[in-house]
Amino acid sequence: MAFEGIAERLQATFRKLTGRGRLSEKDVREAMREVKMALLEADVNFHVVRDFIARVTERAVRADILESLTPGQQVIKIVHEELTALMGGENAKLDFGNVKPAVILMAGLQGAGKTTMCGKLAKLLKKQYGKSPLLVACDIYRPAAIGQLQIVGAQAEVPVFERGTQNPVKTAKEAIEHARHTFRDVVILDTAGRLHIDADMMSELAEIEKAVHPNEVLLVVDAMTGQDAVNAAKAFSETVPLSGVILTKLDGDARGGAALSVRAVTGKPIKFAGIGEKLDAIEPFHPDRMASRILGMGDVLTLIEKAQKTFDEKQAAALEKKIRTDSFTLDDFLEQMDQMAEMGSMDEILSMIPGMKAKMGNLQVDEKQMKRTRAIIQSMTPRERAKPSLLNAGRRKRIAKGSGTTVQDVNRLMNQFEASQKMMKQMGGGKPGKKGHRNPFGF
């Protein structure tokens, strides 16, 4: 999970502060030393850490902070504000300009996930921004690069413009003309990557940029490479006019050094983050929300947005009716489980709920349980799924055998199902249209 290591260290440090009624300047400076070590161990740039600690300490040792009724909470508030500022302050939105099509040039080193990110961005722009994007294959060097872009384009249901091994500058120009004639309002250029930064790559990238004057030049970097990602971003920003950064594999970066360093080192905002392998595993980067996650404050806004994108209003209304009329079935239970899975891993979802991770401690959510649950339900007959009360001992034994599980597993599932029925009825049992009861999860 993103920032897991640094989050645990910082939260442990601040629990010590909030556990004291009064704080001295010495207490604050000792806490800041622990914060400094946590940041350095998370592979955050040394100069960034030094400046960050200096700013926080200067603000935190003021008399009005130390003499307040809740000095520990005041210090955490300062750290939250400075972390937010460090990562850019606010979500940096895309600039589509006034002339169509808007052009987005994607750059990056080979292996950062640039081509896949082009598909993710195209799908996001189509689904959430109402755009009609066109993907353009300008990488003529990497074997199968064009084929890969065509695959992700097909998955995102976005057309791909390619001209084989033709000069990428010419291809980019022709693609923009093609977009105008086919009423495509966004062009996404997938440019060539390299295993390392070299003059030829930078020269070609600069030529494409000068030829098409893109609205956005976005650098795709692998968050898991830490300082290497920051160094790559710095080198690119000194060569081409970057407008922003996209971090890939942020969900697998337990340290968080790249996310906490790249804005300060390059001056360029992080605009999006890749949070998984699926094409919809991309989200706008919100510095304030990320700071909240790091400090254990959760991220309810992102959780709500995920729920709103995942749960269809008509389906939610139909489900609410089933809950109110006690006709909620195991098929409905399985459908809700699948929709929850689309929002991300349970560990990720729980981390967005304030205080939930702290309450659960080191408890690990068993993702394999989802597969066992599916196997058990699919081993039932349609009549049994519709009317769980039919499941006597004999039927449960048959279902366990058919699903490769045990009778205890089947019993456990039925207990969970009954508990969820009660919970959903409490949370979503209001009258249709009543505020706060759009779906059984309360969003």
Side-chain angles (χ1 to χ4, degrees):
M1 187 184 70
F3 301 104
E4 186 172 10
I6 188 173
E8 290 178 357
R9 286 282 301 272
L10 293 183
Q11 289 168 35
T13 298
F14 293 130
R15 275 197 294 271
K16 296 177 185 176
L17 291 184
T18 54
R20 300 176 185 177
R22 288 287 185 182
L23 292 180
S24 65
E25 183 174 329
K26 181 182 177 182
D27 293 330
V28 172
R29 293 190 182 277
E30 286 180 355
M32 288 305 106
R33 275 195 290 272
E34 292 186 36
V35 172
K36 179 180 179 180
M37 291 306 300
L39 293 172
L40 290 174
E41 288 176 11
D43 206 20
V44 181
N45 180 275
F46 171 76
H47 299 291
V48 173
V49 174
R50 182 189 60 192
D51 295 342
F52 175 81
I53 294 298
R55 288 195 303 273
V56 173
T57 303
E58 182 182 0
R59 292 181 60 188
V61 298
R62 294 199 322 249
D64 59 326
I65 299 296
L66 298 180
E67 295 175 6
S68 69
L69 293 175
T70 57
Q73 293 177 4
Q74 294 286 348
V75 173
I76 294 174
K77 181 174 181 290
I78 292 170
V79 172
H80 182 273
E81 291 172 352
E82 291 295 338
L83 275 176
T84 300
L86 183 64
M87 292 185 284
E90 59 185 9
N91 172 241
K93 301 186 183 303
L94 290 175
D95 176 16
F96 295 108
N98 299 317
V99 180
K100 295 182 180 180
V103 179
I104 300 175
L105 190 155
M106 303 282 274
L109 297 178
Q110 189 171 311
K114 177 170 48 60
T115 299
T116 301
M117 184 53 70
C118 287
K120 289 183 177 183
L121 183 60
K123 185 174 181 179
L124 181 77
L125 295 181
K126 178 182 176 181
K127 189 175 180 180
Q128 294 187 35
Y129 291 70
K131 300 292 184 181
S132 299
L134 174 70
L135 290 166
V136 183
C138 291
D139 182 356
I140 63 173
Y141 307 104
R142 182 170 63 87
I146 295 175
Q148 183 187 355
L149 187 66
Q150 289 173 326
I151 290 172
V152 297
Q155 291 173 341
E157 299 181 340
V158 172
V160 174
F161 183 91
E162 60 91 9
R163 287 293 182 266
T165 57
Q166 174 179 282
N167 182 285
V169 177
K170 186 177 181 182
T171 298
K173 289 181 178 179
E174 291 178 0
I176 293 172
E177 283 302 313
H178 177 77
R180 289 195 182 102
H181 289 114
T182 55
F183 305 103
R184 294 280 158 181
D185 51 15
V186 179
V187 171
I188 301 174
L189 305 177
D190 181 25
T191 63
R194 290 291 186 276
L195 293 176
H196 58 86
I197 296 168
D198 59 49
D200 289 340
M201 182 189 73
M202 291 302 187
S203 175
E204 181 178 278
L205 196 62
E207 284 182 35
I208 296 175
E209 190 277 326
K210 289 177 182 176
V212 302
H213 305 292
N215 301 75
E216 295 274 359
V217 180
L218 301 178
L219 181 69
V220 180
V221 295
D222 183 344
M224 294 182 70
T225 59
Q227 279 302 297
D228 286 339
V230 177
N231 294 335
K234 189 171 186 293
F236 271 91
S237 68
E238 292 171 349
T239 307
V240 290
L242 295 181
S243 59
V245 173
I246 298 179
L247 289 177
T248 64
K249 307 174 189 175
L250 188 61
D251 57 313
D253 179 27
R255 296 177 301 173
L260 290 170
S261 303
V262 70
R263 175 66 170 82
V265 172
T266 67
K268 308 302 177 184
I270 302 170
K271 295 201 171 185
F272 294 95
I275 51 169
E277 296 180 1
K278 295 180 180 179
L279 269 191
D280 55 2
I282 176 177
E283 61 183 34
F285 188 85
H286 293 275
D288 55 338
R289 300 184 192 181
M290 200 58 70
S292 293
R293 288 194 211 182
I294 293 171
L295 296 176
M297 299 175 182
D299 185 0
V300 175
L301 287 176
T302 298
L303 182 60
I304 291 172
E305 288 174 1
K306 281 177 175 285
Q308 288 174 336
K309 286 187 290 185
T310 302
F311 294 97
D312 180 81
E313 285 291 326
K314 290 182 180 178
Q315 289 178 329
L319 183 61
E320 183 183 55
K321 182 179 179 181
K322 288 187 175 186
I323 292 167
R324 285 188 289 104
T325 57
D326 287 327
S327 57
F328 184 73
T329 69
L330 280 161
D331 281 322
D332 298 321
F333 181 80
L334 185 59
E335 182 181 347
Q336 292 303 300
M337 187 184 75
D338 288 340
Q339 288 185 320
M340 286 291 289
E342 287 182 21
M343 292 173 61
S345 69
M346 288 304 297
D347 196 53
E348 180 187 357
I349 293 171
L350 291 173
S351 71
M352 295 181 187
I353 303 173
M356 186 60 71
K357 291 291 285 183
K359 289 179 181 178
M360 293 183 68
N362 294 322
L363 180 64
Q364 296 294 313
V365 178
D366 185 5
E367 297 290 342
K368 292 181 181 178
Q369 182 61 39
M370 294 276 203
K371 294 181 180 179
R372 285 194 290 269
T373 298
R374 174 182 293 280
I376 291 170
I377 294 176
Q378 291 180 337
S379 294
M380 299 177 187
T381 66
R383 188 160 174 259
E384 288 170 341
R385 292 198 294 268
K387 196 173 182 181
S389 59
L390 294 173
L391 297 180
N392 56 26
R395 289 174 184 261
R396 295 189 185 206
K397 187 176 180 180
R398 188 205 80 237
I399 292 165
K401 185 176 180 180
S403 60
T405 60
T406 66
V407 173
Q408 288 78 9
D409 289 326
V410 177
N411 292 338
R412 189 180 303 114
L413 169 60
M414 295 314 300
N415 290 335
Q416 291 173 348
F417 173 70
E418 290 169 6
S420 70
Q421 277 184 309
K422 293 177 182 177
M423 180 191 73
M424 286 181 166
K425 196 166 186 180
Q426 290 173 351
M427 297 180 71
K431 294 179 180 179
K434 186 178 179 181
K435 188 176 180 181
H437 296 284
R438 291 187 176 183
N439 65 52
F441 295 94
F443 297 121

